[in-house]
Amino acid sequence: MSAWIFITADLVAITVMTFGMYLRRHRRRDLVVSYLAINVGVLAVATALSSSGAGVGLGLGLFGVLSIIRLRSTELSQHEVAYYFSALALGLIAGLGVEPVWISLSLMALILLVLFIGDSAMVLPTYRQQTVILDQAISDSDVLTARLEEVLGGTVHTVIVQCLDLVNDKTQVDVRFSVDPARKLHTLTTAPRGPLQEQLPPAEGRSFDQVGA
């Protein structure tokens, strides 16, 4: 009877995690299928192993093997890796069926709670990470930081230079920064018009004949 309790709890947990949290926040359908299939597959195999007396060690070995295979098959972002391991952990906990039942259920609830809080938009809402390519080769760190803050409209905390191309005059950086909404709005409203914009007359002064011409 307890085995069905674990199976039901796992199905509820993976449904909440996949559809209630991941899909609503990130909208990537292919990983929804992956999370569901991995979770149910691990649940089935771990349940079979625990009933045959194969032991916890074999179940943990399965966890490691599946992790290596999945992570080598495609590139995942860090939050997607967190969801992936959570799906594995939920299936493994339910499949092994640790007694008493409340311990397993508490561990599964803890995993969901950590995901809900850690991936919430309320946690560090202004912090961002982005790869930026500048049309200048900037070797001075202070000048580079100032230029990035001007472009991104925020406060730069960490800059990692990935490529400094002196031939093509480009700089590629991985930048971690926090957004300042007031500063970003000021940057957008005061930004200079590009060459194409400068060649075109104001939109309100143009007729359809001028556009067609």
Side-chain angles (χ1 to χ4, degrees):
M1 182 63 183
S2 60
W4 288 107
I5 295 177
F6 289 126
I7 293 174
T8 303
D10 176 71
L11 294 178
V12 171
I14 193 62
T15 300
V16 171
M17 190 200 84
T18 304
F19 295 101
M21 287 189 281
Y22 179 78
L23 187 60
R24 289 183 60 188
R25 292 173 175 175
H26 304 290
R27 305 290 180 179
R28 185 172 172 181
R29 185 179 180 278
D30 59 327
L31 283 182
V32 169
V33 178
S34 177
Y35 293 149
L36 293 174
I38 285 293
N39 175 265
V40 175
V42 170
L43 171 66
V45 175
T47 302
L49 291 177
S50 62
S51 62
S52 64
V56 178
L58 189 55
L60 293 175
L62 173 67
F63 183 93
V65 170
L66 289 174
S67 301
I68 293 172
I69 292 174
R70 176 58 182 151
L71 293 178
R72 287 176 60 88
S73 63
T74 186
E75 182 178 352
L76 301 177
S77 63
Q78 294 303 312
H79 70 271
E80 290 168 344
V81 172
Y83 278 98
Y84 176 72
F85 276 105
S86 298
L88 284 174
L90 290 173
L92 191 58
I93 291 172
L96 294 177
V98 179
E99 298 286 352
V101 175
W102 69 267
I103 294 180
S104 296
L105 297 183
S106 299
L107 292 174
M108 296 168 72
L110 179 61
I111 292 173
L112 294 179
L113 179 62
V114 169
L115 276 179
F116 178 78
I117 296 175
D119 194 38
S120 173
M122 296 182 292
V123 178
L124 302 175
T126 62
Y127 279 71
R128 303 285 189 274
Q129 184 273 333
Q130 191 169 339
T131 299
V132 179
I133 301 177
L134 300 174
D135 58 352
Q136 294 175 281
I138 306 175
S139 58
D140 187 281
S141 59
D142 294 334
V143 176
L144 179 59
T145 300
R147 176 58 178 157
L148 288 170
E149 289 184 343
E150 178 185 356
V151 171
L152 298 172
T155 302
V156 172
H157 300 290
T158 304
V159 178
I160 301 174
V161 178
Q162 297 177 334
C163 179
L164 182 62
D165 191 341
L166 299 177
V167 177
N168 298 311
D169 199 23
K170 291 183 179 180
T171 305
Q172 180 174 331
V173 296
D174 179 19
V175 56
R176 289 85 188 267
F177 64 101
S178 57
V179 176
D180 184 351
R183 182 175 179 179
K184 187 172 183 180
L185 179 61
H186 176 73
T187 302
L188 291 175
T189 55
T190 59
R193 295 171 17 137
L196 181 59
Q197 292 175 307
E198 293 173 354
Q199 294 173 10
L200 296 176
E204 59 271 15
R206 294 160 57 198
S207 65
F208 287 104
D209 294 336
Q210 291 174 321
V211 175

